[in-house]
């Protein structure tokens, strides 16, 4: 087997094999600087949900019904109205239409089990319970089978507007609504299928960057306006206005060859974004890329 060149991700060299056969965490790990570190109650709750969701994922049981605490509901009620207001002004039409359809309210944290059934009827996508962020390859392997992994824990209450990792607010208000859209669901599934069969780290890294700059942090043109489309932006009250209006952000047209060679730092606000002309455009670009990679 030929040796692959070293790759660079998040500014540091990585072993290409780590993209193809990633390690997954079997126990809860909070990264340094996480706002929940030092809060024993929060850590105990996270451990409980980690074990429950991991078991449900590995045993393919679907999302468990969670009894949310008063504190978790408080955080949801604090953040979701602020996001709603920003979405109405700045989110893409695809997202807004889907969110209305799903009837996600500002009062109660939705149960993923119920949302999953609704999605299944609409676009044949379903939700897979996830204990936390999964490695890219594993995450997209589920998606290739039309299952979207979603977390069920809520960020720490000391910083309701910030989370260093995907949480229920990011997943449920960012990722879940667009899954109601057929074109979006097809685009995702296509990335998932390609990511499942890729054997070269370089190809996986390219697909990961394509996903990052579209699904996670994409902007999209709509009636000669720029709207937010990426879930990472849509789930952050700070990132929505920053992405559209900050002079610190470089915004350029989505050109696949540029996107797949652009590195990023997931630990801070994104200052380099790409604007896609439409969902069908992204799908077409992805199909061409997958074909070029021989996948
Ligand atoms: Fe995400």
């Amino acid at each position: 087997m030929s040796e692959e060149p070293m790759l660079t991700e998040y500014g540091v060299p990585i072993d290409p094999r780590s993209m193809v056969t990633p390690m997954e965490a079997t126990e809860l790990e909070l990264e340094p600087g996480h706002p929940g570190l030092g809060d024993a109650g929060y850590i105990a709750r996270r451990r409980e949900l980690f074990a429950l969701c991991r078991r449900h994922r590995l045993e393919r049981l679907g999302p468990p019904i969670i009894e949310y605490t008063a504190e978790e509901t408080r955080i949801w009620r604090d953040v979701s109205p602020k996001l709603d207001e920003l979405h109405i002004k700045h989110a893409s039409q695809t997202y807004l239409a889907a969110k209305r359809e799903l009837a996600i309210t500002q009062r109660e944290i939705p149960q993923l089990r119920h949302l999953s059934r609704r999605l299944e009827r609409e676009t044949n996508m379903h939700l897979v319970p996830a204990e936390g962020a999964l490695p890219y390859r594993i995450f997209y392997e589920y998606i290739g089978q039309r299952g979207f992994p979603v977390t069920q824990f809520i960020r720490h209450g000391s910083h309701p507007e910030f989370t260093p990792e995907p949480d229920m607010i990011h997943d449920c208000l960012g990722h879940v609504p667009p899954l109601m859209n057929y074109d979006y669901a097809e685009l995702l599934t296509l990335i998932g299928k390609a990511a499942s069969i890729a054997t070269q780290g370089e190809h996986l890294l390219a697909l990961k960057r394509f996903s990052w700059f579209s699904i996670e942090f994409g902007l999209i043109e709509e009636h000669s306006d720029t709207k937010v489309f990426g879930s990472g932006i849509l789930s952050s009250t700070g990132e929505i206005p920053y992405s559209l209006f900050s002079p610190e952000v470089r915004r350029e047209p989505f050109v696949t060859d540029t996107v797949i060679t652009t590195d990023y730092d997931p630990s801070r606000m994104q200052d380099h974004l790409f604007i896609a002309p439409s969902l069908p455009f992204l799908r077409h670009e992805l199909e061409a890329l997958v074909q070029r990679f021989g996948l």
Side-chain angles (χ1 to χ4, degrees), residues 127-198:
L127 302 179
V128 174
E131 61 272 29
L134 301 175
Y136 181 78
R137 169 118 187 196
I138 297 172
F139 188 76
Y140 272 88
E141 272 171 359
Y142 282 107
I143 294 173
Q145 298 162 29
R146 302 191 82 85
F148 196 92
V150 276
T151 54
Q152 294 196 267
F153 65 88
I154 304 262
R155 59 196 60 184
H156 193 257
S158 62
H159 287 76
E161 272 144 45
F162 168 78
T163 171
E165 58 193 331
D167 74 335
M168 169 87 186
I169 294 175
H170 167 74
D171 284 335
C172 208
L173 295 177
H175 282 292
V176 171
L179 298 175
M180 291 283 281
N181 180 280
Y182 176 78
D183 287 324
Y184 185 93
E186 292 310 299
L187 172 69
L188 260 183
T189 316
L190 201 62
I191 303 179
K193 284 186 180 149
S196 316
I197 56 170

Side-chain angles (χ1 to χ4, degrees), residues 139 148 166 170-171 175 212 215-217 231-232 235:
F139 188 76
F148 196 92
H170 167 74
D171 284 335
H175 282 292
W212 179 264
I215 304 296
E216 287 291 342
F217 281 89
S231 310
S235 55

